[in-house]
PDB file of all heavy atoms in Angstrom:
ATOM      1  N   GLU J  30       5.502  75.684 -36.439  1.00 95.00           N
ATOM      2  CA  GLU J  30       5.553  75.373 -37.861  1.00 95.00           C
ATOM      3  C   GLU J  30       4.610  74.216 -38.183  1.00 95.00           C
ATOM      4  O   GLU J  30       3.872  74.276 -39.164  1.00 95.00           O
ATOM      5  CB  GLU J  30       7.024  74.975 -38.246  1.00 95.00           C
ATOM      6  CG  GLU J  30       7.276  74.992 -39.726  1.00 95.00           C
ATOM      7  CD  GLU J  30       8.647  74.515 -40.066  1.00 95.00           C
ATOM      8  OE1 GLU J  30       9.619  74.841 -39.260  1.00 95.00           O
ATOM      9  OE2 GLU J  30       8.782  73.817 -41.054  1.00 95.00           O
ATOM     10  N   ALA J  31       4.614  73.197 -37.349  1.00 93.00           N
ATOM     11  CA  ALA J  31       3.796  72.024 -37.578  1.00 93.00           C
ATOM     12  C   ALA J  31       2.292  72.363 -37.583  1.00 93.00           C
ATOM     13  O   ALA J  31       1.478  71.873 -38.335  1.00 93.00           O
ATOM     14  CB  ALA J  31       4.081  70.914 -36.614  1.00 93.00           C
ATOM     15  N   LEU J  32       1.881  73.265 -36.652  1.00 93.00           N
ATOM     16  CA  LEU J  32       0.506  73.598 -36.499  1.00 93.00           C
ATOM     17  C   LEU J  32       0.122  74.851 -37.281  1.00 93.00           C
ATOM     18  O   LEU J  32      -1.056  75.264 -37.225  1.00 93.00           O
ATOM     19  CB  LEU J  32       0.143  73.737 -35.040  1.00 93.00           C
ATOM     20  CG  LEU J  32       0.172  72.472 -34.152  1.00 93.00           C
ATOM     21  CD1 LEU J  32       0.000  72.782 -32.729  1.00 93.00           C
ATOM     22  CD2 LEU J  32      -0.954  71.536 -34.622  1.00 93.00           C
ATOM     23  N   GLU J  33       1.092  75.446 -37.939  1.00 93.00           N
ATOM     24  CA  GLU J  33       0.850  76.720 -38.687  1.00 93.00           C
ATOM     25  C   GLU J  33       0.196  77.778 -37.801  1.00 93.00           C
ATOM     26  O   GLU J  33      -0.800  78.352 -38.148  1.00 93.00           O
ATOM     27  CB  GLU J  33      -0.037  76.409 -39.935  1.00 93.00           C
ATOM     28  CG  GLU J  33       0.735  75.503 -40.942  1.00 93.00           C
ATOM     29  CD  GLU J  33      -0.156  75.104 -42.106  1.00 93.00           C
ATOM     30  OE1 GLU J  33      -1.289  75.403 -42.131  1.00 93.00           O
ATOM     31  OE2 GLU J  33       0.433  74.460 -43.019  1.00 93.00           O
ATOM     32  N   VAL J  34       0.860  77.997 -36.679  1.00 95.00           N
ATOM     33  CA  VAL J  34       0.377  79.074 -35.797  1.00 95.00           C
ATOM     34  C   VAL J  34       1.593  79.930 -35.359  1.00 95.00           C
ATOM     35  O   VAL J  34       2.754  79.553 -35.607  1.00 95.00           O
ATOM     36  CB  VAL J  34      -0.315  78.523 -34.459  1.00 95.00           C
ATOM     37  CG1 VAL J  34      -1.607  77.828 -34.831  1.00 95.00           C
ATOM     38  CG2 VAL J  34       0.635  77.604 -33.725  1.00 95.00           C
ATOM     39  N   HIS J  35       1.309  81.084 -34.749  1.00 96.00           N
ATOM     40  CA  HIS J  35       2.387  81.960 -34.324  1.00 96.00           C
ATOM     41  C   HIS J  35       3.058  81.376 -33.054  1.00 96.00           C
ATOM     42  O   HIS J  35       2.398  80.835 -32.190  1.00 96.00           O
ATOM     43  CB  HIS J  35       1.791  83.321 -33.989  1.00 96.00           C
ATOM     44  CG  HIS J  35       2.814  84.447 -33.977  1.00 96.00           C
ATOM     45  ND1 HIS J  35       3.466  84.773 -32.812  1.00 96.00           N
ATOM     46  CD2 HIS J  35       3.309  85.191 -34.978  1.00 96.00           C
ATOM     47  CE1 HIS J  35       4.301  85.765 -33.097  1.00 96.00           C
ATOM     48  NE2 HIS J  35       4.250  86.038 -34.387  1.00 96.00           N
ATOM     49  N   PRO J  36       4.419  81.488 -32.965  1.00 95.00           N
ATOM     50  CA  PRO J  36       5.086  80.991 -31.809  1.00 95.00           C
ATOM     51  C   PRO J  36       4.542  81.493 -30.470  1.00 95.00           C
ATOM     52  O   PRO J  36       4.560  80.772 -29.465  1.00 95.00           O
ATOM     53  CB  PRO J  36       6.527  81.485 -31.981  1.00 95.00           C
ATOM     54  CG  PRO J  36       6.677  81.624 -33.511  1.00 95.00           C
ATOM     55  CD  PRO J  36       5.309  82.022 -33.988  1.00 95.00           C
ATOM     56  N   SER J  37       4.030  82.742 -30.452  1.00 95.00           N
ATOM     57  CA  SER J  37       3.467  83.241 -29.196  1.00 95.00           C
ATOM     58  C   SER J  37       2.208  82.453 -28.751  1.00 95.00           C
ATOM     59  O   SER J  37       1.937  82.306 -27.567  1.00 95.00           O
ATOM     60  CB  SER J  37       3.166  84.739 -29.314  1.00 95.00           C
ATOM     61  OG  SER J  37       2.142  85.000 -30.231  1.00 95.00           O
ATOM     62  N   SER J  38       1.468  81.960 -29.748  1.00 96.00           N
ATOM     63  CA  SER J  38       0.329  81.152 -29.394  1.00 96.00           C
ATOM     64  C   SER J  38       0.785  79.810 -28.808  1.00 96.00           C
ATOM     65  O   SER J  38       0.172  79.282 -27.886  1.00 96.00           O
ATOM     66  CB  SER J  38      -0.538  80.800 -30.651  1.00 96.00           C
ATOM     67  OG  SER J  38      -0.803  81.952 -31.388  1.00 96.00           O
ATOM     68  N   VAL J  39       1.892  79.293 -29.356  1.00 96.00           N
ATOM     69  CA  VAL J  39       2.447  78.053 -28.849  1.00 96.00           C
ATOM     70  C   VAL J  39       2.893  78.263 -27.401  1.00 96.00           C
ATOM     71  O   VAL J  39       2.560  77.413 -26.531  1.00 96.00           O
ATOM     72  CB  VAL J  39       3.615  77.547 -29.677  1.00 96.00           C
ATOM     73  CG1 VAL J  39       4.270  76.289 -29.090  1.00 96.00           C
ATOM     74  CG2 VAL J  39       3.217  77.299 -31.140  1.00 96.00           C
ATOM     75  N   THR J  40       3.619  79.303 -27.128  1.00 94.00           N
ATOM     76  CA  THR J  40       4.065  79.523 -25.781  1.00 94.00           C
ATOM     77  C   THR J  40       2.899  79.609 -24.778  1.00 94.00           C
ATOM     78  O   THR J  40       2.925  79.002 -23.722  1.00 94.00           O
ATOM     79  CB  THR J  40       4.874  80.871 -25.696  1.00 94.00           C
ATOM     80  OG1 THR J  40       5.909  80.799 -26.693  1.00 94.00           O
ATOM     81  CG2 THR J  40       5.483  81.075 -24.356  1.00 94.00           C
ATOM     82  N   LYS J  41       1.823  80.280 -25.197  1.00 95.00           N
ATOM     83  CA  LYS J  41       0.675  80.405 -24.370  1.00 95.00           C
ATOM     84  C   LYS J  41       0.069  79.065 -24.052  1.00 95.00           C
ATOM     85  O   LYS J  41      -0.224  78.703 -22.931  1.00 95.00           O
ATOM     86  CB  LYS J  41      -0.375  81.267 -25.069  1.00 95.00           C
ATOM     87  CG  LYS J  41      -0.819  82.483 -24.213  1.00 95.00           C
ATOM     88  CD  LYS J  41      -1.962  83.229 -24.909  1.00 95.00           C
ATOM     89  CE  LYS J  41      -1.476  84.585 -25.430  1.00 95.00           C
ATOM     90  NZ  LYS J  41      -2.437  85.191 -26.365  1.00 95.00           N
ATOM     91  N   MET J  42      -0.114  78.229 -25.099  1.00 96.00           N
ATOM     92  CA  MET J  42      -0.690  76.910 -24.955  1.00 96.00           C
ATOM     93  C   MET J  42       0.201  75.999 -24.157  1.00 96.00           C
ATOM     94  O   MET J  42      -0.291  75.230 -23.326  1.00 96.00           O
ATOM     95  CB  MET J  42      -1.014  76.289 -26.317  1.00 96.00           C
ATOM     96  CG  MET J  42      -1.652  74.941 -26.243  1.00 96.00           C
ATOM     97  SD  MET J  42      -3.186  74.842 -25.321  1.00 96.00           S
ATOM     98  CE  MET J  42      -4.381  75.159 -26.626  1.00 96.00           C
ATOM     99  N   VAL J  43       1.470  76.053 -24.379  1.00 96.00           N
ATOM    100  CA  VAL J  43       2.441  75.238 -23.692  1.00 96.00           C
ATOM    101  C   VAL J  43       2.379  75.559 -22.147  1.00 96.00           C
ATOM    102  O   VAL J  43       2.457  74.621 -21.301  1.00 96.00           O
ATOM    103  CB  VAL J  43       3.839  75.406 -24.249  1.00 96.00           C
ATOM    104  CG1 VAL J  43       4.896  74.955 -23.288  1.00 96.00           C
ATOM    105  CG2 VAL J  43       3.983  74.615 -25.591  1.00 96.00           C
ATOM    106  N   GLN J  44       2.230  76.821 -21.850  1.00 95.00           N
ATOM    107  CA  GLN J  44       2.102  77.182 -20.425  1.00 95.00           C
ATOM    108  C   GLN J  44       0.821  76.640 -19.790  1.00 95.00           C
ATOM    109  O   GLN J  44       0.836  76.151 -18.659  1.00 95.00           O
ATOM    110  CB  GLN J  44       2.152  78.700 -20.264  1.00 95.00           C
ATOM    111  CG  GLN J  44       3.586  79.234 -20.464  1.00 95.00           C
ATOM    112  CD  GLN J  44       3.640  80.740 -20.694  1.00 95.00           C
ATOM    113  OE1 GLN J  44       2.656  81.381 -21.060  1.00 95.00           O
ATOM    114  NE2 GLN J  44       4.812  81.317 -20.579  1.00 95.00           N
ATOM    115  N   LYS J  45      -0.199  76.614 -20.600  1.00 96.00           N
ATOM    116  CA  LYS J  45      -1.485  76.077 -20.152  1.00 96.00           C
ATOM    117  C   LYS J  45      -1.366  74.547 -19.914  1.00 96.00           C
ATOM    118  O   LYS J  45      -1.835  74.005 -18.906  1.00 96.00           O
ATOM    119  CB  LYS J  45      -2.557  76.385 -21.237  1.00 96.00           C
ATOM    120  CG  LYS J  45      -3.960  76.388 -20.782  1.00 96.00           C
ATOM    121  CD  LYS J  45      -4.777  77.055 -21.893  1.00 96.00           C
ATOM    122  CE  LYS J  45      -6.236  76.764 -21.832  1.00 96.00           C
ATOM    123  NZ  LYS J  45      -6.924  77.303 -23.020  1.00 96.00           N
ATOM    124  N   LEU J  46      -0.670  73.896 -20.895  1.00 97.00           N
ATOM    125  CA  LEU J  46      -0.505  72.438 -20.756  1.00 97.00           C
ATOM    126  C   LEU J  46       0.386  72.099 -19.586  1.00 97.00           C
ATOM    127  O   LEU J  46       0.227  71.037 -18.946  1.00 97.00           O
ATOM    128  CB  LEU J  46       0.055  71.878 -22.059  1.00 97.00           C
ATOM    129  CG  LEU J  46      -0.838  71.863 -23.263  1.00 97.00           C
ATOM    130  CD1 LEU J  46      -0.117  71.576 -24.561  1.00 97.00           C
ATOM    131  CD2 LEU J  46      -2.010  70.881 -23.086  1.00 97.00           C
ATOM    132  N   ASP J  47       1.314  72.999 -19.303  1.00 97.00           N
ATOM    133  CA  ASP J  47       2.174  72.813 -18.145  1.00 97.00           C
ATOM    134  C   ASP J  47       1.349  72.917 -16.839  1.00 97.00           C
ATOM    135  O   ASP J  47       1.439  72.050 -15.932  1.00 97.00           O
ATOM    136  CB  ASP J  47       3.259  73.887 -18.146  1.00 97.00           C
ATOM    137  CG  ASP J  47       4.275  73.750 -17.029  1.00 97.00           C
ATOM    138  OD1 ASP J  47       3.835  73.603 -15.868  1.00 97.00           O
ATOM    139  OD2 ASP J  47       5.485  73.747 -17.213  1.00 97.00           O
ATOM    140  N   LYS J  48       0.445  73.901 -16.791  1.00 97.00           N
ATOM    141  CA  LYS J  48      -0.358  74.101 -15.608  1.00 97.00           C
ATOM    142  C   LYS J  48      -1.268  72.880 -15.366  1.00 97.00           C
ATOM    143  O   LYS J  48      -1.625  72.543 -14.227  1.00 97.00           O
ATOM    144  CB  LYS J  48      -1.233  75.344 -15.801  1.00 97.00           C
ATOM    145  CG  LYS J  48      -1.303  76.253 -14.577  1.00 97.00           C
ATOM    146  CD  LYS J  48      -2.087  77.505 -14.833  1.00 97.00           C
ATOM    147  CE  LYS J  48      -1.194  78.731 -14.836  1.00 97.00           C
ATOM    148  NZ  LYS J  48      -1.849  79.899 -15.464  1.00 97.00           N
TER     149      LYS J  48
END
Side-chain angles (χ1 to χ4, degrees):
E30 198 185 320
L32 291 172
E33 295 176 353
V34 294
H35 198 268
S37 65
S38 312
V39 176
T40 307
K41 237 186 249 166
M42 180 57 91
V43 160
Q44 284 164 343
K45 206 164 157 185
L46 291 168
D47 182 312
K48 224 177 250 164

